[in-house]
C-alpha cells in the first residue's frame, strides 16, 4: 500500500485526532473532566474564543494575521455596556454601536494594510495597543455592572442531559455554519482563498485583492464585536481587561485547526475544533492544578508545534 497516495484526509482529520487524544488524557487525569458541570464550563469558555477565531481564520486565510483581536473585543464590550448603563441608551442600539466600533477597528486595519501597504503584523500590533489604551481611558479602568437583561440574554442556558448549553454556544455554531457555507459555496469565499494562495495571480484573473482584504478585516472586526457580546453575556459585566488571553487562544485555535499561517489553505470548521482543543487544554490543566502562567506557556508551545507541522506539510507537498 502506497501511503503517499492514500485518499484518507489526514490533514483534515488531524485536529479531530488531537482533540480525541487530549480528551482521553484529561479524562485519565481527572474524574471531574467528563462531568456535565465541567463540560458546561468548557462550552461557555469556548464560545468567545470560537467566534474570535472565525474572524482570525478569515484573515489568516489571506496570509495575514490580527494581533489586535482580543483588545478590539474588549473595546467593543466596554462601548456597548457603557452606552447602555451610563448613558441609558436602548440596549439593542448600544449593542449595534459596539459592533460598529469593532467593525470600524477592523476596517482601519484593512485600510492600513491595503492603502498604506503596511505588514498586517505591524498594523495590528499598533491597533492592539491603541484599542487597549482607548478601552482603559474610556472605562477609567472600571468594570461596568448592572447590565440590562437584553445584554446577557445569550448567556441563558438549556440542558442536554446534565450539560448546560448556552444560547451563545448555539450562536457560535450558527456563525460557523454560515462562514463554512460562504467560504465553500460562494464566489467571495473562493476569491478569499485565491488571494491567500497567490495575490498576484488573483489580481490577474480580475479579483480586486485590496477590496477582498478590506472586507475581510472589517468582517473580522464584526466577529470580534459579536464575541464581545458573548463575553458580556457570559460574565454579566463590561470588562476593560477582557481579551488578554483570547488573542493568543484564537490564533492557537486557528493554527491547531489546520489553517496555514501562510494563507490559502484551511477549513473554517477546523478552527472550531481548534477552539475546543484550546478550551479543553485550559480546563484540563486547571483541573490538574496547573497555574495559569504555565497554561500560557503550554499554549505557546502548542502554537510553535502546529506551525512547525504546517511548515513541514508545505515542504512535503512541494
Amino acid at each position: 500500500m502506497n501511503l503517499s497516495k492514500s485518499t484518507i484526509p489526514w490533514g483534515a482529520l488531524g485536529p479531530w485526532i488531537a482533540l480525541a487524544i487530549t480528551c482521553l488524557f484529561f479524562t485519565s487525569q481527572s474524574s471531574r473532566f467528563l462531568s456535565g458541570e465541567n463540560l458546561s464550563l468548557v462550552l461557555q469558555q469556548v464560545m468567545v474564543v470560537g467566534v474570535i477565531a472565525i474572524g482570525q481564520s478569515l484573515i489568516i486565510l489571506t496570509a495575514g494575521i490580527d494581533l489586535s483581536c482580543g483588545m478590539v473585543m474588549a473595546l467593543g464590550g466596554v462601548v456597548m455596556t457603557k452606552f447602555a448603563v451610563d448613558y441609558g441608551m436602548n440596549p439593542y442600539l448600544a449593542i449595534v454601536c459596539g459592533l460598529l466600533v469593532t467593525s470600524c477597528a477592523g476596517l482601519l486595519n484593512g485600510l492600513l494594510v491595503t492603502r498604506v501597504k503596511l505588514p498586517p503584523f505591524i498594523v495590528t500590533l499598533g491597533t492592539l495597543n491603541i484599542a487597549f489604551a482607548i478601552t482603559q481611558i474610556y472605562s477609567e479602568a472600571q468594570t461596568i455592572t448592572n447590565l440590562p437583561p437584553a445584554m446577557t440574554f445569550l448567556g441563558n442556558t438549556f440542558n442536554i442531559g446534565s450539560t448546560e448549553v448556552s444560547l451563545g454556544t448555539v450562536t457560535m455554531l450558527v456563525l460557523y455554519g454560515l462562514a463554512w457555507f460562504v467560504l465553500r459555496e460562494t464566489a467571495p469565499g473562493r476569491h478569499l482563498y485565491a488571494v491567500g494562495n497567490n495575490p498576484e495571480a488573483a489580481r490577474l484573473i480580475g479579483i480586486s485583492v485590496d477590496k477582498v482584504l478590506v472586507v475581510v478585516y472589517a468582517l473580522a472586526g464584526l466577529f470580534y464585536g459579536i464575541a464581545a457580546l458573548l463575553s458580556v453575556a457570559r460574565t454579566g459585566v463590561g470588562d476593560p481587561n477582557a481579551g488578554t488571553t483570547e488573542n493568543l487562544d484564537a490564533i492557537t485555535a486557528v493554527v491547531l485547526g489546520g489553517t496555514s499561517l501562510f494563507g490559502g489553505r484551511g477549513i473554517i470548521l477546523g478552527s472550531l475544533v481548534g477552539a475546543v482543543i484550546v478550551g479543553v487544554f485550559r480546563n484540563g490543566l486547571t483541573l490538574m492544578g496547573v497555574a495559569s502562567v504555565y497554561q500560557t506557556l503550554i499554549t505557546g508551545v502548542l502554537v510553535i508545534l502546529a506551525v512547525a507541522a504546517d511548515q513541514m506539510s508545505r515542504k512535503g507537498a512541494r
Side-chain angles (χ1 to χ4, degrees):
M1 178 181 178
N2 188 348
L3 290 176
S4 65
K5 293 183 178 180
S6 170
T7 57
I8 299 174
W10 294 111
L13 287 177
W16 292 96
I17 295 171
L19 176 60
I21 293 172
T22 304
C23 288
L24 285 173
F25 173 74
F26 287 119
T27 301
S28 70
Q29 298 299 309
S30 172
S31 59
R32 290 175 53 200
F33 179 74
L34 280 184
S35 67
E37 181 184 4
N38 190 56
L39 292 179
S40 303
L41 183 60
V42 171
L43 288 175
Q44 290 187 35
Q45 291 171 331
V46 164
M47 67 182 184
V48 175
V49 171
V51 172
I52 296 176
I54 298 176
Q56 190 69 256
S57 298
L58 299 180
I59 292 175
I60 290 179
L61 280 171
T62 65
I65 195 164
D66 188 352
L67 302 180
S68 69
C69 55
M71 291 303 109
V72 170
M73 182 199 78
L75 175 61
V78 164
V79 167
M80 61 179 68
T81 53
K82 203 167 176 63
F83 277 24
V85 175
D86 289 1
Y87 308 148
M89 183 181 285
N90 179 293
Y92 297 106
L93 185 58
I95 290 170
V96 171
C97 290
L99 297 177
L100 281 174
V101 166
T102 58
S103 299
C104 287
L107 178 64
L108 175 64
N109 283 336
L111 290 174
L112 288 171
V113 168
T114 56
R115 303 296 169 86
V116 190
K117 304 298 181 186
L118 294 176
F121 181 89
I122 299 299
V123 168
T124 56
L125 182 61
T127 50
L128 177 158
N129 288 288
I130 293 170
F132 173 76
I134 293 176
T135 303
Q136 296 294 320
I137 293 168
Y138 184 54
S139 67
E140 298 177 338
Q142 299 296 312
T143 300
I144 299 115
T145 58
N146 299 319
L147 305 184
M151 289 199 142
T152 56
F153 174 74
L154 291 175
N156 293 339
T157 61
F158 60 91
N159 281 66
I160 297 180
S162 59
T163 303
E164 290 185 345
V165 180
S166 69
L167 296 179
T169 301
V170 176
T171 302
M172 176 190 71
L173 295 176
V174 170
L175 291 175
Y176 266 98
L178 288 172
W180 174 83
F181 176 80
V182 170
L183 288 173
R184 182 181 171 87
E185 302 293 339
T186 70
R190 290 188 285 273
H191 289 177
L192 187 151
Y193 275 101
V195 169
N197 264 319
N198 189 329
E200 190 54 37
R203 189 176 289 109
L204 290 174
I205 62 174
I207 296 173
S208 175
V209 174
D210 285 356
K211 183 178 178 182
V212 169
L213 290 176
V214 169
V215 170
V216 162
Y217 277 91
L219 265 179
L222 177 61
F223 281 113
Y224 305 155
I226 297 172
L229 179 60
L230 297 182
S231 178
V232 166
R234 179 186 165 219
T235 60
V237 298
D239 183 4
N241 297 312
T244 51
T245 61
E246 282 80 355
N247 266 357
L248 179 59
D249 285 356
I251 295 172
T252 306
V254 176
V255 176
L256 288 178
T259 298
S260 173
L261 278 175
F262 302 96
R265 192 175 62 175
I267 303 171
I268 190 71
L269 296 183
S271 298
L272 175 60
V273 181
V276 176
I277 293 174
V278 172
V280 166
F281 243 98
R282 286 201 177 276
N283 177 269
L285 292 173
T286 301
L287 288 177
M288 291 172 63
V290 178
S292 61
V293 65
Y294 291 104
Q295 295 180 25
T296 303
L297 186 153
I298 293 171
T299 305
V301 171
L302 283 176
V303 172
I304 292 173
L305 290 176
V307 173
D310 177 43
Q311 182 78 314
M312 287 188 288
S313 171
R314 288 173 64 87
K315 286 181 179 176
R318 288 173 185 167

